[in-house]
Amino acid sequence: MYSMRHIVALILGLLLPGASAAAENMARHALLLDIQGAIGPAVAEDVEHVLERARAGRAGLVILRMDTPGGLDQAMRSIIKDILASPVPVAAFVAPKGARAASAGTYILYASHIAAMAPATNLGAATPLQVGGLPATPELPRDKDAAKGDGDGDHASTMQHKMINDAAAYIRSLADLHGRNAGWAEKAVRESVSLGASQALELHVIDLIAEDSRQLLEAVDGRTLQVAGGDITLHTNGMRVREVERNWRARLLGIITDPNVAYILMLLGIYGLFFELANPGFVLPGVIGGISLLLALFAFQVLPINFAGLGLIALGIAFMIAEAFAPSFGALGLGGVLAFVAGSVLLMDSSLPGYAISLALII
């Protein structure tokens, strides 16, 4: 006869492999993040959080589904640094049909471990632009008289030339890292050329064409990729896809960092402060101008998110203190409350355990 201990051991032996397999199946999932519209600090923060979640949750793959006209250089480079440092492989997927990965999107595609496009999509036009300016000119004047210029024009042309060379070297290094077409990458920077999906596959700019994320997972199954920490072989056939939903804070930051909204905030900030200086005592234009200008500086990534949040909190406290000593019929007090709440929201990071600030506490 078997003792109770033998029976328990037999049951555990039968159940534990199944439990282990179930846990393994739970870990076999891919995270999908949609990148829609311009790439700014909010998108960079989203990508950082998704990659951190993938690492902590033992995801097998992160899919960045892109449809973007481009974005800010600092945000793009932040995303690329996170991708290159990720132990979880990243697939940049230009989708759905009709989508594009222009400018900054092209760099991100080249930096990803897997580059994929849906049919009827395009990428390229990666020439860097100056905010509020014209496309950078890739060539300097050829003759000495033209090269001398009038001072300011020559300086601008030199800066544009440096920017082009820097961007070209950067995208070539990304192409060499994953064995993709470096020559076309440099051409996309210097000549702003673009490619469709089928041409990109022929020129080895991308790795594959897929209709959707499911087809993408089937196509990359069994591939060995070099990620941070060593080589990894993908087992993606039958892998589940979990779409990452942006929380209210990420959506709010996305609205603020939209180029059109950021431009309006900048104008409100400048004109508000000018109006207040020209007409001292109105208060409200100065309050609106100060808040708008700080938000615009964050949107254009002149100020990082932590400094922008701290600046708004400090401005809010200053407004509320000023209300006590210089009554303004509530303009300073209300502006101070709004600035304080806006700054606290910028500082609040609900995706990192232990570092979240309660919205109820802020209120």
Side-chain angles (χ1 to χ4, degrees), residues 326-337:
S328 60
F329 303 100
L332 282 171
L334 180 60
V337 171

Side-chain angles (χ1 to χ4, degrees), residues 173-200:
S173 67
L174 297 175
D176 293 337
L177 184 65
H178 297 297
R180 301 194 179 109
N181 192 328
W184 184 88
E186 183 171 356
K187 195 174 180 181
V189 173
R190 296 190 181 278
E191 302 177 23
S192 294
V193 295
S194 296
L195 278 180
S198 58
Q199 292 175 303

Side-chain angles (χ1 to χ4, degrees), residues 3-360:
S3 66
M4 181 61 68
R5 182 165 51 179
H6 288 100
I7 294 173
V8 171
L10 179 62
I11 293 173
L12 289 176
L14 292 173
L15 291 180
L16 285 179
S20 177
E24 184 179 354
N25 288 334
M26 284 294 289
R28 293 187 62 225
H29 66 276
L31 295 181
L32 172 66
L33 175 67
D34 267 318
I35 298 178
Q36 303 288 331
I39 293 172
V43 175
E45 186 179 278
D46 284 342
V47 173
E48 179 186 358
H49 292 163
V50 167
L51 293 177
E52 177 65 26
R53 177 177 166 181
R55 186 189 63 81
R58 303 179 64 84
L61 183 68
V62 172
I63 303 174
L64 303 179
R65 187 166 58 191
M66 298 190 298
D67 182 9
T68 175
L72 298 177
D73 177 78
Q74 188 175 340
M76 175 198 74
R77 289 178 183 260
S78 175
I79 291 172
I80 290 174
K81 287 178 182 178
D82 290 335
I83 291 174
L84 298 181
S86 173
V88 180
V90 177
F93 184 30
V94 186
K97 292 181 179 179
R100 58 175 170 167
S103 191
T106 301
Y107 293 82
I108 294 172
L109 194 79
Y110 264 92
S112 299
H113 306 99
I114 298 169
M117 297 175 70
T121 57
N122 68 282
L123 81 162
T127 303
L129 306 176
Q130 294 178 335
V131 175
L134 297 174
T137 305
E139 295 184 354
L140 284 171
R142 296 182 182 178
D143 58 275
K144 294 181 179 180
D145 293 334
K148 292 179 181 178
D150 57 359
D152 293 338
D154 181 57
H155 175 72
S157 180
T158 302
M159 292 302 296
Q160 290 170 356
H161 191 69
K162 287 181 178 180
M163 190 164 57
I164 289 287
N165 287 338
D166 177 69
Y170 188 50
I171 201 168
R172 283 192 71 97
S173 67
L174 297 175
D176 293 337
L177 184 65
H178 297 297
R180 301 194 179 109
N181 192 328
W184 184 88
E186 183 171 356
K187 195 174 180 181
V189 173
R190 296 190 181 278
E191 302 177 23
S192 294
V193 295
S194 296
L195 278 180
S198 58
Q199 292 175 303
L201 185 61
E202 290 175 6
L203 295 176
H204 197 49
V205 173
I206 62 173
D207 302 316
L208 60 103
I209 295 177
E211 292 279 348
D212 52 28
S213 56
R214 178 59 55 195
Q215 194 176 96
L216 169 65
L217 292 176
E218 293 174 357
V220 300
D221 184 58
R223 294 196 181 195
T224 300
L225 303 172
Q226 185 178 11
V227 299
D231 294 342
I232 185 171
T233 301
L234 297 178
H235 301 286
T236 56
N237 197 12
M239 183 180 283
R240 292 178 299 169
V241 178
R242 298 179 182 175
E243 188 167 349
V244 178
E245 296 290 339
R246 304 179 74 192
N247 58 28
W248 66 268
R249 177 177 178 271
R251 290 195 295 269
L252 177 61
L253 293 182
I255 293 172
I256 293 174
T257 55
D258 181 272
N260 298 307
V261 177
Y263 182 68
I264 293 172
L265 288 172
M266 182 183 69
L267 292 180
L268 283 175
I270 293 172
Y271 284 116
L273 293 178
F274 275 159
F275 190 86
E276 181 65 33
L277 292 173
N279 303 275
F282 273 81
V283 179
L284 185 60
V287 171
I288 295 175
I291 296 173
S292 298
L293 194 58
L294 278 174
L295 290 175
L297 291 175
F298 158 68
F300 287 124
Q301 287 202 299
V302 176
L303 289 178
I305 190 167
N306 52 345
F307 289 144
L310 288 174
L312 282 167
I313 289 176
L315 186 65
I317 293 173
F319 282 163
M320 287 186 281
I321 293 174
E323 176 69 28
F325 292 96
S328 60
F329 303 100
L332 282 171
L334 180 60
V337 171
L338 292 176
F340 187 87
V341 171
S344 300
V345 168
L346 289 182
L347 286 176
M348 185 174 64
D349 192 346
S350 58
S351 65
L352 297 178
Y355 289 90
I357 302 174
S358 170
L359 182 62

